[in-house]
Amino acid sequence: VQLAESGGGLVQPGGSLSLSCATSGFTFNAHYMGWVRQPPGKGLEWVSTIYDNTHNRYYADSVKGRFTIFRDYDKKTVSLQMTNLKSEDTALYFCVAAPISRGRVPREPDHFDYRGQGTQVTVSS
C-alpha cells in the first residue's frame, strides 16, 4: 500500500494551496479516503473524509467552508483544495484510507488503516 502526498509549502494567511495524494496497492474504490493533520507539538487531528464526489463528503468544523476534498477514480488520487488559510492550519498533512466495508464513516485519525508520509503546510506572513 502506498499513499504519496504532494503539494505542501509555505503560503501567506488568506492564501490557497492544493494537496494531492497518489495511491497504489489497494482497492481505491473500496475505501473511504481522507486527510488528517498534525500541528506542531500536537497530536493528529481529522480534517476530512470522502466517500464519493457528491454529498458524501465530511469536514471538521475548523475547515468547513474553506477546504474541499475530491477523489479521481481514474487516476486513483485524492486532493484537498484549501482556501482562506489561517496560521492554525499549519501542520503536517497526511493522506489516509479506510475500508468502506467497516460500515462507519471514519472521522478520527485512528479510524483509518493506511497513512502516507505527509506533506508540510506552513501558513505564515
Side-chain angles (χ1 to χ4, degrees):
V1 174
Q2 288 195 337
L3 303 171
E5 304 91 340
S6 61
L10 174 64
V11 62
Q12 293 186 342
S16 300
L17 205 60
S18 184
L19 305 182
S20 185
C21 174
T23 74
S24 63
F26 65 102
T27 306
F28 184 76
N29 293 11
H31 285 73
Y32 290 102
M33 297 300 301
W35 294 87
V36 300
R37 67 186 181 185
Q38 186 169 23
K42 298 184 179 181
L44 287 170
E45 59 183 47
W46 171 69
V47 175
S48 180
T49 299
I50 184 168
Y51 173 70
D52 59 30
N53 291 321
T54 60
H55 57 277
N56 295 312
R57 294 184 276 189
Y58 311 89
Y59 302 95
D61 288 343
S62 59
V63 307
K64 200 172 296 182
R66 300 188 298 119
F67 289 13
T68 302
I69 191 169
F70 177 83
R71 66 191 298 170
D72 187 319
Y73 288 94
D74 291 332
K75 296 180 180 178
K76 298 183 180 180
T77 61
V78 60
S79 62
L80 186 69
Q81 178 67 38
M82 306 182 292
T83 63
N84 191 21
L85 282 161
K86 306 175 181 181
S87 58
E88 51 264 42
D89 294 317
T90 295
L92 188 59
Y93 283 73
F94 298 93
C95 177
V96 290
I100 292 172
S101 61
R102 192 165 292 156
R104 65 182 174 188
V105 177
R107 297 177 191 249
E108 296 290 340
D110 61 0
H111 289 177
F112 296 93
D113 289 24
Y114 308 127
R115 191 170 78 205
Q117 293 298 308
T119 186
Q120 179 67 39
V121 172
T122 302
V123 184
S124 174
S125 55

